[in-house]
Amino acid sequence: MFEAQAICSPKWLQSPIPTRNCIPKPRIGFLTGISNPNVLICQTPIHFSPQKNIKSRTPFAVNASSTSVGSTEYIEEPATKERFQTSLSLPGCSSSLTLLGTGYREKVFAIIGVKVYAAGLYANQSILNSLNAWKGRSTAEIQEDSSLFSSIFLSPSEKSLQIVLVRDVDGKTFWDALNDAISPRIKSPTPVDESALSTFRSIFQGQPLKKGTFIFLTWPDPSKMLVCISSDGLPSGVDAEIESENVAFALFDVFFGDTPVSPSLKASVLNGLESILKFC
């Protein structure tokens, strides 16, 4: 698809020890770089059940600007300035999903990089139940173990990739770039795979994708992927259902495999997970 650069690296900090008679519910939140005088902390995303003898809480932080509109909290992807809700509810998902990290995609024309879209990965908080093998591991061990994202994909927990276009793109052009990345990952497509790819292609063919359009690729489970496209905020329904585990995995691998199309997104999610797993 396109070339990508720049990494949004999370930071984390430890909050003061709560008093004996006031034990808050530990939860994961987001913040900007702590050296910034305009730091804002959002403690909304992932909530864990209260436990006895809790001595501290650690917010999950992303190195990006945090803002709020009403009761909705947002994280700004720094390279594109696009805002992502820290949690949201989507068609086809049983409960709200939490933002794990953001990044961007860039296409290179000659030697000039042009940003095409920003992206953010969301997941159900139950995803942590599938990552017990990484709890307590060092940062280096987590970064070097490529099976982490395979475990995330194979988890029955819902997850979704939000793409926000930062420029107008023709639907066919978008699909062609996506297909160029998917096809090498499916060596011998079955009739089911071919049918799924045809359905996937038909969503984008002939459809102009304007700047600001939301595209959601949601995996309710490893065998299925839901596609939602909206030019007016969050989608209200599902535009297509892709029932092929090979296609569903290939698309996930495009973003989180060994050669991701957006290294900044993968790095941001990885660093965010490191912070959570240290806390667990």
Side-chain angles (χ1 to χ4, degrees):
M1 278 167 48
F2 312 107
E3 301 298 329
Q5 299 181 22
I7 293 179
C8 173
S9 302
K11 301 177 182 179
W12 66 282
L13 61 88
Q14 189 170 38
S15 299
I17 297 175
T19 61
R20 178 178 179 181
N21 296 320
C22 180
I23 300 178
K25 177 189 288 187
R27 46 187 183 173
I28 303 300
F30 301 80
L31 72 157
T32 58
I34 58 177
S35 61
N36 189 330
N38 298 316
V39 165
L40 293 174
I41 296 181
C42 162
Q43 296 177 330
T44 55
I46 297 180
H47 296 265
F48 298 92
S49 301
Q51 301 177 8
K52 295 181 179 180
N53 301 321
I54 293 175
K55 303 223 173 160
S56 64
R57 60 184 180 181
T58 306
F60 167 34
V62 174
N63 185 19
S65 299
S66 172
T67 59
S68 64
V69 177
S71 60
T72 303
E73 297 285 346
Y74 295 86
I75 289 296
E76 183 180 273
E77 195 287 307
T80 61
K81 308 302 181 184
E82 288 294 334
R83 297 187 310 164
F84 291 82
Q85 290 185 203
T86 55
S87 64
L88 47 73
S89 297
L90 293 172
C93 292
S94 61
S95 60
S96 63
L97 307 182
T98 298
L99 182 65
L100 295 180
T102 65
Y104 72 94
R105 189 76 175 99
E106 187 175 72
K107 181 175 181 179
V108 176
F109 294 95
I111 59 173
I112 301 175
V114 177
K115 295 177 181 63
V116 180
Y117 59 76
L121 181 67
Y122 291 82
N124 189 298
Q125 65 177 9
S126 63
I127 194 77
L128 297 181
N129 296 330
S130 302
L131 304 180
N132 289 325
W134 284 268
K135 292 178 181 178
R137 289 197 187 185
S138 68
T139 299
E141 288 177 320
I142 293 175
Q143 290 178 334
E144 292 171 3
D145 193 339
S146 61
S147 65
L148 172 63
F149 282 98
S150 293
S151 294
I152 292 174
F153 174 78
L154 293 173
S155 167
S157 299
E158 298 156 338
K159 44 218 163 264
S160 183
L161 178 72
Q162 180 184 6
I163 293 173
V164 183
L165 296 179
V166 298
R167 64 193 312 106
D168 293 352
V169 179
D170 177 74
K172 182 180 183 303
T173 301
F174 185 87
W175 165 254
D176 287 345
L178 197 60
N179 188 50
D180 286 345
I182 294 174
S183 295
R185 291 171 163 83
I186 305 177
K187 302 299 183 183
S188 301
T190 66
V192 171
D193 300 334
E194 294 285 3
S195 176
L197 288 170
S198 178
T199 299
F200 204 1
R201 182 190 311 111
S202 66
I203 304 170
F204 298 101
Q205 295 287 6
Q207 180 172 174
L209 302 174
K210 300 296 185 180
K211 177 181 178 180
T213 296
F214 288 177
I215 301 172
F216 283 93
L217 306 174
T218 302
W219 296 268
D221 62 62
S223 66
K224 185 187 305 182
M225 184 175 69
L226 309 178
V227 183
C228 305
I229 303 176
S230 174
S231 59
D232 186 26
L234 294 178
S236 58
V238 175
D239 292 295
E241 187 171 315
I242 310 300
E243 296 195 52
S244 163
E245 186 165 355
N246 287 336
V247 174
F249 176 74
L251 201 287
F252 190 86
D253 191 68
V254 165
F255 290 91
F256 302 106
D258 293 335
T259 55
V261 296
S262 175
S264 60
L265 172 62
K266 182 178 178 180
S268 176
V269 172
L270 180 60
N271 288 332
L273 287 170
E274 289 173 13
S275 299
I276 295 175
L277 293 171
K278 286 178 182 177
F279 175 68
C280 294

